[in-house]
Amino acid sequence: EVQLVESGGDLVKPGGSLRLSCAASGFTFSNAWMSWVRQAPGKGLEWVGRIKSKTEGGTIDYAAPVKGRFTISRDDSKNTLYLQMNSLKTEDTAVYYCTVPIMGAPCWGQGTLVTVSS
Amino acid sequence: DIVMTQSPDSLAVSLGERATINCKSSQSVLYSSNNKNYLAWYQQKPGQPPKLLIYWASTRESGVPDRFRGGVSGTDFTLTISSLQAEDVAVYFCQQYYSIPYTFGQGTKLEIK
């Protein structure tokens, strides 16, 4: 069974930093293209970024609102995906989900809440 | 970027009746090498993560009741609930995962009439 468990969400002040983790199991993590998606309170869903597998180049792409502030990385030895968030803004307040396509079907974790407020 | 436009924004349907939600992509999301449309439908209830219902535009996720069906005609996609049940009250989203940035429809709120 595929499992994605996000952690690291917290209350942080504007301008601060936070690192989220996503622990994966039930599939071959090293071969997977992993994404982060977020959802602001009461709003729709927004793709944040994606990292390809190392064997396919490990390319990382970001959505425009987070480019230059957020960094996605992966540790295949730990089956873990990361999202380093710097220079946080109030508009980054959201539940952050990690997702992965398994045989064409997107699988999602339960999410972790990040609140950016003074 | 591929723009996903859902309609309607909200929908009220009687129990046992059919509900249809539409999603239009601004360009094709059909991957020619496998002839699959990279389009997914999700159901989201308050306080819960999105639940995958349909992927590849028309493939039902395991465990999803067969009253949920996904359809496609070119760049027009539909999610049909054949006989609405009370537990289907939720917000529904479409998503294209064909090209980055992966984009979502704005959501359709489904209620009981």
Side-chain angles (χ1 to χ4, degrees), chain A residues 4-46:
Chain A
L4 299 169
V5 180
E6 302 92 337
S7 61
D10 205 347
L11 171 64
V12 61
K13 288 181 166 48
S17 298
L18 202 59
R19 188 177 84 156
L20 307 183
S21 300
C22 171
S25 61
F27 62 99
T28 305
F29 181 80
S30 60
N31 291 343
W33 294 16
M34 303 294 299
S35 290
W36 288 99
V37 174
R38 67 183 180 182
Q39 186 172 35
K43 302 296 185 183
L45 296 157
E46 180 183 30

Side-chain angles (χ1 to χ4, degrees), chain A residues 39 45 47 50 61 104 106 108, chain B residues 42 44 52 97 100-102 104:
Chain A
Q39 186 172 35
L45 296 157
W47 175 81
R50 182 197 68 190
D61 295 284
W108 293 53
Chain B
Y42 300 92
Q44 189 175 34
L52 179 67
Y97 51 110
I100 55 169
Y102 300 151
F104 296 85

Side-chain angles (χ1 to χ4, degrees), chain A residues 19-98:
Chain A
R19 188 177 84 156
L20 307 183
S21 300
C22 171
S25 61
F27 62 99
T28 305
F29 181 80
S30 60
N31 291 343
W33 294 16
M34 303 294 299
S35 290
W36 288 99
V37 174
R38 67 183 180 182
Q39 186 172 35
K43 302 296 185 183
L45 296 157
E46 180 183 30
W47 175 81
V48 172
R50 182 197 68 190
I51 183 168
K52 292 185 179 180
S53 63
K54 285 190 170 64
T55 56
E56 294 180 90
T59 307
I60 308 171
D61 295 284
Y62 298 96
V66 308
K67 198 168 186 179
R69 299 187 299 123
F70 289 12
T71 301
I72 297 173
S73 62
R74 63 192 301 158
D75 186 336
D76 291 344
S77 69
K78 294 182 178 179
N79 287 354
T80 301
L81 175 73
Y82 300 101
L83 179 64
Q84 177 67 45
M85 303 184 293
N86 299 330
S87 303
L88 282 161
K89 305 176 181 180
T90 55
E91 53 263 40
D92 295 319
T93 294
V95 176
Y96 285 74
Y97 300 98
C98 62

Side-chain angles (χ1 to χ4, degrees), chain B residues 42-62:
Chain B
Y42 300 92
Q43 176 193 69
Q44 189 175 34
K45 298 181 179 180
Q48 296 183 18
K51 175 188 174 183
L52 179 67
L53 299 174
I54 303 287
Y55 62 99
W56 284 337
S58 60
T59 301
R60 198 179 302 114
E61 171 71 330
S62 175

Side-chain angles (χ1 to χ4, degrees), chain B residues 15-56:
Chain B
L15 289 172
E17 296 300 304
R18 174 177 299 195
T20 301
I21 299 170
N22 303 293
C23 177
K24 184 174 181 64
S25 60
S26 62
Q27 59 193 76
S28 174
V29 297
L30 177 67
Y31 194 39
S32 57
S33 66
N34 61 6
N35 201 36
K36 302 284 190 188
N37 282 284
Y38 280 60
L39 187 285
W41 287 99
Y42 300 92
Q43 176 193 69
Q44 189 175 34
K45 298 181 179 180
Q48 296 183 18
K51 175 188 174 183
L52 179 67
L53 299 174
I54 303 287
Y55 62 99
W56 284 337

